[in-house]
Amino acid sequence: MSEERTMNLTLKVWRQKNENEKGKFVTIQANGISSDMSFLEMLDVVNEDLTRKGEDPIYFDHDCREGICGMCSLHINGRPHGPKQGTTTCQLHMRSFHDGQTIVIEPWRAAAFPVIKDLAVDRTAFERIQQAGGYVSVNTGGVPDGNAIPIPKPSADEAFESATCIGCGACVAACKNASAMLFVSAKISQYALLPQGQAERYQRAQAMVEQMDREGFGACTVTKACEAECPVGIKLTNIARMNREYFNAKFFKEKTAHS
Amino acid sequence: MSSFNQALTSTLGKKLIMALTGLFLCAFLIVHLIGNLQLFKDDAGKAFNDYAYFMTHFTPIKAVSYLLYASIIIHALYALILTVYNRKARPIGYASFAGDKNSTWSSRNMGILGTVLLVFIATHMANFWWKFHNDEVPYIEYRTDLNTLETQVTELNASEFTDYQNFTQDGQEVTRARDLYKQVAYAFQNPILVAFYVLAMAAMSFHLIHGFNSAFQSLGFNHRKYIPIVRFLALWVFGIIIPIAFAAMPLYFFFCK
C-alpha cells in the first residue's frame, strides 16, 4: 500500500435544492484531504467545513459504507462510482486521485431517477420494478428442508451471481440511454434459474419488463457500459436471458387455460 | 392490446424488430456481394448484366426485394423512434461523461453510422437502381460464336432495343441487355463518389461489427458455447471481408478501368 499523502482538490459539485428547482454546479475547495480517506469520508470533511461556515452541507446517499448495500451513488468525473472498476463510491479511496485534481461530482442522470437534493436521487423506481414481480410467493406452511430441492451447481452459481446485484443504479447511470436492463435482468435471472422461481417465471418477466417501461428507462443499445461499471460484476448474459424470458412468455406461453 | 402487439411495442420488442430487420439486411449483403463479384469478370459486363436482369425479373427475388425495402425503412424508422425514446430517458445530461472508458465509440454512435449508411443507400439506389428501372442506362448486344466462343460487343441505340433477349442465331448466341455494367464503370470515374463509397463501407464495417453481435443479444442469444462463432462472423465476415470486397468495386473501376 502506498504511503499516506495529503492533497488539495477542487470539487465541482451539483447543487440542487429539490426536485423542482433548477440545479447548478458549485466549485468547492477541499483542502488537506488524506489519500487514505474514502470518497465519502472526503465529502464528510467538506460537509463539516460547510456546516462550520453556516452553509448547507452537500446532500448525498450512503449507508453501510462497506460496498454491499448499494445506497451510495455519485457520478464522478464522468463515471458512476468513480474511476475504478468493480467498486462502489464508499470503497473508492482518495489515493485514486492526485493532488490539485478537479473532480466533477454529479447525481445519477435519468428521468426515472429524479433528484431529491444535490447528489441524491430517488431510486424507488427500482423498488416498484421489484414489487411488480421480483419475488417468489411463499404460502404458509412448514419450513421446507434445506436440501429437499435438488439444484444443479451451475444453475445455483449463475443464480447467485445474478443475485449479487445491490440495486445501486450504476447501470442506469452509465448507460447512454439510461436503461435499467442490467438491473431488471439480474432480478429476473436469479429466479428464472432456480426451481423455486418456476411457478411465477413468465408472469414475473412480463410484469417486471412492463414496470421498467412504465418508469421511463431507456432501451438497450448493447454498449456494455453497464457491465463495465457494475460494482458487483453483473454480466450482460442476464439481459439476453431477460429477452428470452420475456419473448418466451409473450409469444409462447398461455395467459389463461384453454377453454 | 394483444400480447403479441404488447411485446412488439415494449422496449425489448422494438429492439427485437431492429435485430430481425438488421439480420435480414446482413443476409442480403452476402447475396448482394456474391452477385456483384460478377463486376470483376473481364467479359464486357455480360455476366453482370445477365445477373442484373435475373435479379429484377425472377419473381421470388422480386418478392424478397420488397421485404428488403421494407426492412431498410423499418430499421431506420425504429432507430429514430428508439433514439427519441432513449433521449427522453435522460432529459438532463452529464457535464462530464467518460463513455470511452466503458464502451466502444461505434456502440455509442450507431445512429451516426446508420445515417451515413442511409445516405449511402439513397445515393446507391439513385445511381443504379433508379437508372436501371427507368431506362436511363445504355444498351448492349453480345454475340458469342458458339464454335470459337469469341464474343463481339456492340452498343445499341434505344430505338434498337426492345427488351432483354437471349437467343441463338446462325451458330451465335445473341444477348441484348441493359448495360448496367457500363453505368457502374461510368459512375465510378467520379473520385468524390468513389471516396464516399469507401467511407460508407468503413462506416458499414463498424456498424455491422456492433450490430451483428448485438442482434443476437436482443434476440436473447448469448451463451459462451456459441457466442464465439457470432463474434467471429461479426468481425471477419461482416466487419472485414464484406466491406473490403464492396469497397474494392469502386476502387477497381476507378484505378483499373
Side-chain angles (χ1 to χ4, degrees):
Chain A
M1 197 177 267
S2 61
E3 221 170 287
E4 187 188 345
R5 293 174 284 126
T6 309
M7 51 179 113
N8 299 329
L9 301 158
T10 308
L11 308 181
K12 286 195 164 182
V13 186
W14 182 261
R15 304 298 308 258
Q16 185 173 340
K17 276 219 168 67
N18 54 51
E19 188 186 337
N20 304 315
E21 283 202 31
K22 267 192 122 180
K24 61 172 192 306
F25 280 101
V26 173
T27 307
I28 298 168
Q29 210 59 40
N31 294 335
I33 299 297
S34 158
S35 60
D36 284 352
M37 283 179 185
S38 77
F39 200 85
L40 298 185
E41 283 165 342
M42 181 274 291
L43 286 178
D44 291 339
V45 170
V46 171
N47 272 349
E48 273 184 40
D49 222 36
L50 289 174
T51 315
R52 233 177 274 126
K53 282 191 243 167
E55 287 173 41
D56 203 15
I58 302 161
Y59 196 79
F60 61 91
D61 272 328
H62 64 103
D63 193 8
C64 75
R65 298 209 178 190
E66 289 181 328
I68 52 169
C69 78
M71 196 60 200
C72 58
S73 52
L74 306 187
H75 207 257
I76 302 159
N77 279 347
R79 297 178 71 182
H81 297 300
K84 291 228 146 171
Q85 284 209 329
T87 180
T88 53
T89 301
C90 63
Q91 298 298 299
L92 174 71
H93 289 84
M94 296 317 291
R95 65 183 79 97
S96 300
F97 300 88
H98 59 80
D99 189 31
Q101 195 174 346
T102 300
I103 306 174
V104 183
I105 313 170
E106 294 172 81
W108 286 173
R109 297 288 192 197
F113 287 165
V115 171
I116 298 168
K117 189 181 174 180
D118 295 340
L119 301 170
V121 295
D122 182 357
R123 282 171 282 183
T124 45
F126 270 11
E127 253 125 85
R128 286 188 293 271
I129 294 171
Q130 277 285 64
Q131 284 155 11
Y135 52 80
V136 171
S137 298
V138 179
N139 298 322
T140 51
V143 179
D145 219 19
N147 291 323
I149 309 165
I151 302 169
K153 179 84 164 83
S155 303
D157 287 351
E158 190 94 5
F160 184 81
E161 270 190 34
S162 303
T164 52
C165 169
I166 53 177
C168 65
C171 46
V172 176
C175 178
K176 78 177 190 72
N177 306 328
S179 172
M181 302 256 176
L182 197 69
F183 165 78
V184 180
S185 67
K187 298 300 174 194
I188 289 176
S189 288
Q190 67 186 27
Y191 296 121
L193 287 160
L194 295 176
Q196 292 89 338
Q198 298 309 303
E200 288 155 311
R201 182 172 175 179
Y202 296 107
Q203 290 106 291
R204 176 182 306 115
Q206 296 180 68
M208 291 180 79
V209 167
E210 275 150 27
Q211 188 61 36
M212 170 181 82
D213 283 356
R214 238 175 271 135
E215 298 292 348
F217 291 105
C220 179
T221 320
V222 203
T223 65
K224 303 178 188 167
C226 54
E227 189 185 53
E229 299 293 0
C230 178
V232 292
I234 299 294
K235 298 272 182 309
L236 215 68
T237 44
N238 285 294
I239 299 181
R241 186 180 294 106
M242 170 178 69
N243 293 344
R244 258 190 333 260
E245 296 288 309
Y246 180 74
F247 295 136
N248 219 342
K250 282 288 181 203
F251 298 147
F252 306 115
K253 301 293 169 191
E254 301 298 340
K255 224 172 196 172
T256 50
H258 281 292
S259 51
Chain B
M1 203 164 30
S2 79
S3 90
F4 195 76
N5 279 341
Q6 211 178 18
L8 292 184
T9 49
S10 68
T11 45
L12 270 55
K14 290 196 189 95
K15 293 301 293 187
L16 179 72
I17 290 168
M18 289 299 281
L20 292 174
T21 50
L23 285 178
F24 179 70
L25 293 173
C26 284
F28 157 74
L29 275 183
I30 298 172
V31 180
H32 191 43
L33 177 67
I34 293 168
N36 282 15
L37 288 176
Q38 317 297 326
L39 283 169
F40 293 119
K41 237 178 158 181
D42 209 11
D43 62 350
K46 184 171 184 302
F48 183 71
N49 287 333
D50 282 345
Y51 161 73
Y53 176 78
F54 171 76
M55 292 305 270
T56 44
H57 292 80
F58 185 56
T59 313
I61 298 269
K62 271 173 94 174
V64 174
S65 75
Y66 289 112
L67 202 59
L68 175 70
Y69 307 143
S71 286
I72 295 169
I73 294 165
I74 293 169
H75 195 77
L77 196 66
Y78 269 75
L80 192 67
I81 293 170
L82 280 161
T83 305
V84 172
Y85 183 87
N86 291 339
R87 288 270 164 87
K88 263 199 224 150
R90 177 167 293 143
I92 301 169
Y94 291 106
S96 151
F97 188 73
D100 56 324
K101 292 280 185 355
N102 53 35
S103 53
T104 59
W105 185 89
S106 52
S107 75
R108 280 176 280 123
N109 293 284
M110 288 295 275
I112 293 174
L113 294 169
T115 307
V116 171
L117 291 178
L118 194 63
V119 172
F120 166 76
I121 291 168
T123 314
H124 185 54
M125 288 184 81
N127 266 331
F128 303 120
W129 182 88
W130 179 263
K131 291 206 157 118
F132 188 83
H133 283 269
N134 289 282
D135 272 336
E136 289 175 25
V137 293
Y139 308 101
I140 196 161
E141 183 184 86
Y142 303 95
R143 278 178 183 274
T144 310
D145 193 305
L146 292 174
N147 293 318
T148 60
L149 290 176
E150 270 173 32
T151 306
Q152 272 192 324
V153 180
T154 17
E155 203 173 313
L156 295 179
N157 289 324
S159 58
E160 295 169 86
F161 184 84
T162 46
D163 201 355
Y164 178 91
Q165 284 171 313
N166 183 290
F167 54 88
T168 312
Q169 188 185 49
D170 309 332
Q172 285 182 319
E173 191 199 355
V174 181
T175 306
R176 288 180 182 148
R178 288 180 172 84
D179 198 358
L180 188 61
Y181 182 85
K182 188 169 260 170
Q183 169 60 21
V184 172
Y186 168 74
F188 289 150
Q189 295 309 309
N190 179 351
I192 297 168
L193 192 74
V194 172
F196 178 58
Y197 266 63
V198 174
L199 174 88
M201 288 307 103
M204 189 176 82
S205 165
F206 287 106
H207 194 80
L208 293 191
I209 291 173
H210 181 71
F212 189 77
N213 275 316
S214 303
F216 287 88
Q217 171 80 4
S218 297
L219 288 169
F221 297 116
N222 186 350
H223 194 283
R224 61 172 173 269
K225 278 185 185 163
Y226 53 77
I227 221 68
I229 302 168
V230 174
R231 299 254 178 286
F232 178 85
L233 290 176
L235 179 65
W236 285 98
V237 176
F238 293 101
I240 296 175
I241 297 172
I242 291 182
I244 286 181
F246 273 125
M249 289 162 195
L251 293 172
Y252 167 74
F253 281 98
F254 187 72
F255 289 109
C256 308
K257 285 275 155 179

